[in-house]
């Protein structure tokens, strides 16, 4: 079934009709048309471009992947590009979605089926009475779903960073290289996520600045709410990057502290071992000394070794070196 909808005077009149029928409705001022294209071919977009009068540069941007999130203004329409985000098995997925916005038509172009367009439809249906505001309301539902997806990703990342913080101070050291790998991978994810999620703030902000031309005043609070969410996404992302950096720095410091502890233990045991080595070395001289060739000499040296080693052990233990 084609992903299409026709609204007339704020009421959904038809759904699932062929995209070829769109040209019959776009000329009607009382009609609002939405249709969705998933991984379209250049020929598909060229056909739509003729019917809606889309700018060739906008069509080119919709066909090219890895576009930066943006809002472009043309004479007959707006073109925007954003990214939906989700975590799948701790792997960050960013799915590009573009939209052509005309006076009475919204065209969504998805990079792949992984972007759940059905959830956008559910949001539209949840507030069906708002459909009277036309294309701007449909666009709001799309942007609201995208930004909410960013929140879900950040919440999962936040939980993961907290788990890393707990692992960092576990008494059981375990595999410390695991923490280093995880912090490095988390930082890479956050850098990639920030590059494609934070610019949505500029997209929504541009729409708000053009609200007199594009939006009905009744929709301003809705777009302002989405804009506030984009600000929170930006702040949360920067906060998580700082937290990951702090975890990584604390992990490096812990490694330094552990190395110091190991060196102190090695030094302490070396000092303890050095005492009996010195004494036995002294008594190993081939010259007469007090107790030479007598049992008293052996017992005296043994007693000195035990007393001196015990004193050194107690001193190092009290200082926490052993």
């Amino acid at each position: 079934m084609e992903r299409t909808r026709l609204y007339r005077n704020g009421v959904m009149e038809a759904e699932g009709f062929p995209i070829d029928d769109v040209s019959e409705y776009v000329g009607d001022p009382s009609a609002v048309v939405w249709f969705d294209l998933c991984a379209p071919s250049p020929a598909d977009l060229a056909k739509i471009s003729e019917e809606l009068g889309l700018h060739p540069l906008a069509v080119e941007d919709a066909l090219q992947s890895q576009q930066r999130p943006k809002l472009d203004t043309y004479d007959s329409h707006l073109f925007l590009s954003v990214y939906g985000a989700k975590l799948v098995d701790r792997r960050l997925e960013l799915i590009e979605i573009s939209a052509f916005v005309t006076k009475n038509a919204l065209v969504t172009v998805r990079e792949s089926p992984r972007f759940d367009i059905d959830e956008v439809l559910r949001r539209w249906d949840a507030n069906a009475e708002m459909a009277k505001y036309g294309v701007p309301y449909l666009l709001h539902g799309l942007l609201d779903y995208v930004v909410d997806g960013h929140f879900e990703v950040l919440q999962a990342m936040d939980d993961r960073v907290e788990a890393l913080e707990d692992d960092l101070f576990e008494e059981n050291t375990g595999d410390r290289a695991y923490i280093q790998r995880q912090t490095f991978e988390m930082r890479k994810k956050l850098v990639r996520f920030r590059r494609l999620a934070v610019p949505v703030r500029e997209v929504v902000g541009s729409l708000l600045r053009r609200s007199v031309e594009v939006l009905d005043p009744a929709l301003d609070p809705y777009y302002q709410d989405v804009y506030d969410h984009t600000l929170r996404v930006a702040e949360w992302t920067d906060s998580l990057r700082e937290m990951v950096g702090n975890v990584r720095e604390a992990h490096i410091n812990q490694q330094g502290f552990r190395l110091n502890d190991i060196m102190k233990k090695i030094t302490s045991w070396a000092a303890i071992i050095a005492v009996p080595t010195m004494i036995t070395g002294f008594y190993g001289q081939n010259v007469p000394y007090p107790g030479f060739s007598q049992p008293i000499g052996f017992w005296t040296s043994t007693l000195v070794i035990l007393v001196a080693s015990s004193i050194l052990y107690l001193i190092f233990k009290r200082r926490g070196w052993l």
Side-chain angles (χ1 to χ4, degrees):
M1 184 180 68
E2 302 283 359
R3 310 310 302 271
T4 55
R5 279 192 175 188
L6 169 65
Y7 293 88
R8 198 183 300 275
N9 298 318
V11 179
M12 189 176 71
E13 188 174 285
E15 184 177 17
F17 53 86
I19 292 179
D20 293 338
D21 296 346
V22 168
S23 57
E24 300 177 10
Y25 305 123
V26 292
D28 184 355
S30 65
V32 172
V33 180
W34 165 77
F35 60 96
D36 174 70
L37 299 174
C38 183
S41 65
D44 295 333
L45 279 180
K47 183 178 179 180
I48 294 169
S49 176
E50 294 176 2
E51 294 183 356
L52 300 181
L54 304 179
H55 197 281
L57 290 178
V59 175
E60 181 182 349
D61 287 343
L63 288 171
Q64 293 179 351
S65 60
Q66 303 301 320
Q67 290 287 324
R68 183 181 184 275
K70 62 179 180 177
L71 175 68
D72 292 335
T73 304
Y74 299 97
D75 292 337
S76 61
H77 64 92
L78 301 176
F79 172 78
L80 63 87
S81 176
V82 293
Y83 285 81
K86 60 181 178 179
L87 282 177
V88 180
D89 297 328
R90 294 187 179 180
R91 182 171 57 87
L92 178 63
E93 280 193 358
L94 294 167
I95 308 103
E96 185 176 1
I97 179 167
S98 304
F100 298 95
V101 184
T102 70
K103 186 175 181 180
N104 63 337
L106 174 66
V107 183
T108 54
V109 181
R110 291 180 289 156
E111 180 184 28
S112 77
R114 297 193 307 274
F115 185 89
D116 188 6
I117 198 68
D118 291 326
E119 179 59 31
V120 178
L121 299 182
R122 284 190 284 270
R123 294 188 179 219
W124 291 344
D125 294 338
N127 295 284
E129 70 280 359
M130 299 293 292
K132 63 184 178 181
Y133 295 112
V135 173
Y137 172 69
L138 301 181
L139 179 60
H140 167 268
L142 173 65
L143 293 174
D144 190 50
Y145 171 66
V146 167
V147 175
D148 284 352
H150 295 171
F151 268 107
E152 293 177 5
V153 168
L154 286 173
Q155 183 61 63
M157 288 187 175
D158 192 292
D159 294 341
R160 185 60 195 143
V161 171
E162 289 184 359
L164 285 175
E165 290 177 335
D166 294 339
D167 293 341
L168 188 64
F169 296 102
E170 284 286 340
E171 293 184 2
N172 183 15
T173 57
D175 182 11
R176 288 293 167 180
Y178 168 79
I179 296 178
Q180 189 170 355
R181 288 194 305 270
Q182 289 298 309
T183 53
F184 179 73
E185 291 176 4
M186 184 66 66
R187 187 172 181 83
K188 284 179 61 179
K189 290 177 185 177
L190 284 169
V191 169
R192 182 168 173 244
F193 177 81
R194 188 182 190 282
R195 186 171 63 249
L196 298 177
V198 173
V200 178
R201 173 181 56 186
E202 302 172 11
V203 173
V204 181
S206 296
L207 288 170
L208 280 171
R209 287 192 294 271
R210 295 171 51 88
S211 59
V212 177
E213 308 169 22
V214 180
L215 307 179
D216 188 290
L219 290 177
D220 281 353
Y222 292 89
Y223 275 85
Q224 186 63 54
D225 181 65
V226 175
Y227 182 71
D228 291 341
H229 289 175
T230 62
L231 294 179
R232 290 177 57 194
V233 166
E235 293 171 356
W236 200 355
T237 303
D238 291 337
S239 175
L240 285 179
R241 287 181 64 196
E242 185 176 351
M243 289 173 63
V244 170
N246 291 341
V247 170
R248 185 168 181 270
E249 184 178 351
H251 180 249
I252 293 174
N253 290 338
Q254 276 190 335
Q255 289 179 320
F257 295 151
R258 290 191 182 93
L259 180 60
N260 289 338
D261 289 340
I262 292 171
M263 292 303 299
K264 286 190 293 185
K265 291 178 181 179
I266 293 174
T267 303
S268 300
W269 284 113
I272 294 174
I273 295 172
V275 172
T277 302
M278 178 189 67
I279 295 173
T280 54
F282 175 79
Y283 277 89
Q285 298 179 90
N286 294 322
V287 295
Y289 54 86
F292 180 73
S293 297
Q294 297 179 14
I296 188 64
F298 169 76
W299 292 113
T300 300
S301 64
T302 302
L303 180 62
V304 172
I305 289 173
L306 293 175
V307 172
S309 298
S310 298
I311 292 173
L312 287 175
Y313 179 83
L314 293 175
I315 292 174
F316 294 145
K317 188 70 174 179
R318 181 174 298 176
R319 293 186 178 184
W321 291 11
L322 288 175

